């Protein structure tokens, strides 16, 4: 999947705090509107999640899917967290990432996402859906970290 949608936000917190919120998958139902359940299925030796199952209910879109995670982050929280779809009922593929970098006194978070659904969808509509997902996720993350 070469075509990805990308957006960024600056969060008023250091990268370690931001990554801590992103990495705390079990708490996603507390602060994300669409994620209803989360289960970490596998962990790396250092305790970070390697495979996570999500139950999503975004009104018209409902799915249970699992993602495989790769961590290329430093002790300070900077770097990149990437994921790839493992299983889904609705999606054929989903590749994504969060990139965290210092920005002034805060953190620039860049979210990239590419989704391929099992049902046909025009590229323009797919990119619009990806943009909505990204913008909502970044807004919710910023609110959670800064609250």
């Amino acid at each position: 999947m070469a075509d990805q949608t990308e957006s960024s936000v600056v969060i008023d917190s250091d990268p370690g705090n931001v990554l801590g919120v992103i990495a705390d998958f079990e708490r996603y139902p507390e602060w994300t509107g669409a994620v209803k359940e989360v289960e970490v299925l596998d962990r790396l030796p250092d305790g970070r999640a390697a495979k996570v199952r999500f139950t999503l209910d975004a009104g018209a879109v409902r799915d249970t899917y699992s993602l495989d995670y790769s961590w290329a982050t430093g002790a300070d929280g900077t770097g990149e967290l990437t994921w790839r779809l493992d299983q889904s009922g609705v999606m054929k593929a989903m590749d994504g990432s969060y990139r965290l970098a210092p920005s002034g006194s805060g953190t620039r978070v860049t979210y990239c996402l590419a989704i391929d659904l099992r049902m046909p969808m025009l590229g323009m509509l797919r990119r619009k859906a990806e943009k909505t997902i990204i913008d909502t996720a970044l807004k919710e993350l910023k609110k959670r970290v800064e609250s």
Side-chain angles (χ1 to χ4, degrees):
M1 285 195 297
D3 289 340
Q4 284 195 331
T5 303
E6 177 179 308
S7 191
S8 297
V9 67
V10 174
I11 297 177
D12 189 22
S13 188
D14 66 75
N17 288 337
V18 176
L19 184 62
V21 171
I22 292 169
D24 192 1
F25 296 105
E26 292 93 346
R27 293 197 176 214
Y28 279 27
E30 296 175 11
W31 59 273
T32 63
V35 177
K36 302 305 178 190
E37 293 180 33
V38 177
E39 181 183 3
V40 176
L41 302 173
D42 190 23
R43 292 190 182 273
L44 299 169
D46 64 7
R48 294 180 296 180
K51 184 183 298 283
V52 182
R53 180 173 46 231
F54 298 86
T55 301
L56 179 78
D57 185 349
V61 178
R62 292 185 176 105
D63 194 15
T64 297
Y65 59 94
S66 58
L67 302 175
D68 292 320
Y69 285 89
S70 297
W71 301 78
T73 55
D76 63 353
T78 60
E80 187 172 37
L81 169 61
T82 60
W83 58 89
R84 192 177 256 329
L85 184 67
D86 174 54
Q87 292 182 324
S88 169
V90 175
M91 295 176 281
K92 288 195 294 190
M94 176 172 37
D95 297 331
S97 68
Y98 280 113
R99 287 191 314 267
L100 285 75
S103 179
S105 62
T107 303
R108 174 169 295 282
V109 180
T110 302
Y111 185 167
C112 300
L113 186 65
I115 297 174
D116 189 10
L117 300 174
R118 293 190 187 280
M119 64 184 131
M121 180 181 270
L122 292 173
M124 177 180 60
L125 294 176
R126 181 183 51 80
R127 283 186 296 281
K128 184 174 180 176
E130 289 169 352
K131 179 77 169 137
T132 299
I133 291 166
I134 289 170
D135 289 348
T136 300
L138 289 174
K139 183 174 73 175
E140 290 174 333
L141 176 63
K142 181 176 176 70
K143 183 177 176 182
R144 176 70 172 199
V145 172
E146 292 180 353
S147 64

